[in-house]
């Protein structure tokens, strides 16, 4: 670069303010009113043929159990596989176990395309069918694709608008980070979460619509409308200027996080699926005799608007509805949420910051009261009384999980129920501190990012 070369600004200083203006634009956008979005989704569902039927694992077209080890794999060697996982951890009531796990080493793209209309940022959202969604069709990012999909291993149609995320000359990258997915169900799975702005004329396909951030916030107050892949990208949108103060400085927070990551002794390795003790394979799939945790089941899919209009695949089916909740307090007038430095076997590096409570309550019924997750009773009581600040059911990754439902909540705490000195693996952080960590990979887990998306979009104000 010569001395005369024009230097670019180091950061997009105006982006948080532009996003805040978009979050304030509620009720309607340039093309569509918020109240009309559910009807548009219903029309898109009627415009295509969608069908999902359960299929025994040994009858899935293109899938088979390997003769050595029993792993469930695709004949192409791509997409993903179901393997075994052996884990040993140093804390908790369960310190050693084996389980099936989804192994998908390739990194996917979760990309949202942004464009200004009338001075307000809008985001191109897709009405996307996923076989595991409770209602099949939900709002997804502009591009939601695995590497196998966008490289067309399936020999199907290309991914619409992919060029905006693979060709740097087509737009301006606003955010871009690698983020994890569910650490209990995936083994070290990451996706690229990115936001790209364009000034070009982009004609939306019938299955796509431009919406403001405020409209997405309104839709996040509804059950099963905004899918997980959209929520995780929204969580990475930078918020306006930091708060005037925090209970712990940024340096103190990072030091605590690093110490938590370093102190745990965790041993995790992939093992043959056939060697996973405590799990049984029957005509319907793979599960535990006690009916806890999850099952591996199979489906055959018809989807008229997908790159491939029919396929078979395994899905992970949770046994019960989960709960993910932030307990929050205003400290010195500044909202703080209580994060948990949570160990999960599938994480790339030991821990990530999780909601205060993240579990499927039914899995803890056989466990002694003193070993149940901290703050679980506080959250369940608030949910039962109906006085949680926010309580909406969202579904998880519909391309890998079947009917994976989690009740997301914000619950107010006080010094008696959620003291300033919480248990060692917990810490009070500001919303801005948590949001800033999403600029980096593997700090904030996917359930916490859903709750954070509610804050970045204005769906929740603490």
């Amino acid at each position: 670069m010569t001395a005369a070369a024009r230097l670019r600004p180091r950061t997009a200083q105006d982006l948080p303010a532009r996003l805040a203006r978009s979050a304030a634009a509620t009720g309607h956008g340039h093309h569509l009113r918020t109240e009309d979005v559910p009807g548009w989704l219903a029309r898109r569902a009627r415009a295509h043929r969608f069908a999902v039927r359960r299929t025994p694992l040994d009858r899935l077209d293109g899938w088979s159990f390997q003769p050595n080890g029993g792993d469930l794999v695709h004949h192409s060697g791509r997409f993903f596989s179901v393997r075994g996982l052996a884990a040993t951890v140093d804390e908790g009531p369960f310190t050693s176990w084996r389980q099936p796990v989804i192994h998908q080493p390739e990194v996917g793209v979760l990309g949202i395309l942004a464009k200004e209309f009338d001075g307000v940022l809008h985001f191109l959202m897709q009405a996307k069918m996923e076989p595991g969604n409770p209602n099949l069709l939900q709002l997804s990012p502009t591009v939601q694709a695995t590497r196998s999909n966008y490289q067309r291993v399936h020999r199907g149609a290309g991914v619409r608008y992919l060029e905006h995320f693979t060709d740097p000359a087509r737009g301006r990258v606003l955010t871009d980070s690698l983020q994890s997915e569910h650490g209990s169900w995936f083994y070290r799975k990451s996706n690229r979460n990115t936001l790209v702005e364009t000034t070009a004329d982009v004609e939306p396909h019938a299955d796509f619509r431009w919406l403001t951030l405020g409209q997405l916030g309104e839709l996040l107050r509804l059950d099963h409308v905004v899918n997980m892949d959209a929520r995780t990208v929204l969580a990475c949108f930078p918020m306006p200027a930091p708060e005037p103060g925090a209970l712990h400085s940024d340096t103190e927070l990072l030091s605590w996080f690093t110490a938590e990551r370093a102190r745990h002794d965790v041993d995790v390795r992939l093992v043959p699926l056939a060697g996973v003790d405590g799990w049984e394979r029957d005509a319907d799939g793979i599960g535990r005799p006690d009916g806890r945790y999850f099952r591996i089941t199979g489906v055959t899919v018809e989807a008229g608007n997908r790159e491939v209009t029919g396929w078979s695949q395994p899905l992970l089916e949770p046994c019960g509805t989960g709960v993910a909740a932030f307990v929050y307090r205003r400290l010195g007038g500044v909202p703080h949420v209580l994060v948990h430095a949570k160990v999960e076997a599938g994480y790339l590096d030991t821990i990530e910051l999780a909601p205060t409570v993240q579990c499927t309550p039914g899995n803890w019924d056989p466990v002694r009261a003193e070993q149940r997750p901290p703050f679980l009773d506080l959250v369940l009581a608030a949910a039962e009384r109906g006085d949680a600040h926010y309580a909406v059911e969202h579904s998880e990754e519909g391309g890998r999980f079947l009917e994976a439902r989690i009740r997301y909540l914000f619950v107010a705490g006080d010094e008696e129920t959620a003291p300033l000195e919480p248990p060692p693996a917990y810490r009070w952080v500001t919303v801005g501190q948590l949001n800033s960590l999403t600029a980096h990979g593997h700090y904030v887990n996917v359930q916490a990012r859903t709750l954070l998306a509610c804050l970045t979009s204005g769906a929740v104000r603490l």
Side-chain angles (χ1 to χ4, degrees), residues 154-330:
H154 48 50
R155 300 174 186 255
V159 176
R160 290 189 178 91
Y161 308 111
L162 178 66
E163 64 276 8
H164 292 279
F165 303 94
T166 56
D167 182 358
R170 283 185 172 268
R172 176 190 182 200
V173 176
L174 301 181
T175 66
D176 202 346
S177 60
L178 281 179
Q179 301 292 344
S180 64
E181 292 206 25
H182 299 74
S184 291
W185 298 336
F186 278 110
Y187 179 73
R188 299 184 177 180
K189 175 72 172 69
S190 296
N191 279 320
R192 187 178 179 184
N193 288 231
T194 184
L195 173 66
V196 173
E197 183 178 8
T198 183
T199 57
D201 291 332
V202 178
E203 185 65 29
H205 179 271
D207 289 330
F208 293 75
R209 284 294 183 270
W210 292 102
L211 299 171
T212 69
L213 186 54
Q215 289 183 284
L216 292 169
E218 292 174 307
L219 295 167
L220 278 167
R221 299 183 190 125
L222 305 177
D223 293 349
H224 305 298
V225 172
V226 181
N227 83 352
M228 186 214 77
D229 299 284
R231 300 192 305 263
T232 177
V233 181
L234 296 178
C236 300
F237 288 11
M239 299 182 75
E243 303 92 347
L247 185 62
H248 303 286
S249 70
D250 291 353
T251 300
E252 290 170 338
L253 174 61
L254 288 172
S255 177
W256 167 77
F257 179 88
T258 302
E260 284 293 311
R261 180 167 276 177
R263 77 177 178 86
H264 287 285
D265 186 11
V266 177
D267 177 42
V268 176
R269 66 188 187 278
L270 292 173
V271 298
L273 181 60
V276 175
D277 300 331
W279 296 73
E280 297 178 352
R281 179 177 157 193
D282 57 28
D284 298 321
I286 301 171
R288 287 171 54 96
D290 60 10
R292 296 166 69 193
Y293 304 115
F294 61 84
R295 291 183 56 81
I296 303 295
T297 190
V299 294
T300 298
V301 185
E302 295 179 51
N305 68 341
R306 292 290 298 266
E307 295 85 7
V308 172
T309 57
W311 71 92
S312 295
Q313 68 171 95
L315 289 172
L316 184 152
E317 182 180 15
C319 299
T321 298
V323 170
F326 270 137
V327 175
Y328 71 93
R329 293 180 61 180
R330 295 185 70 89

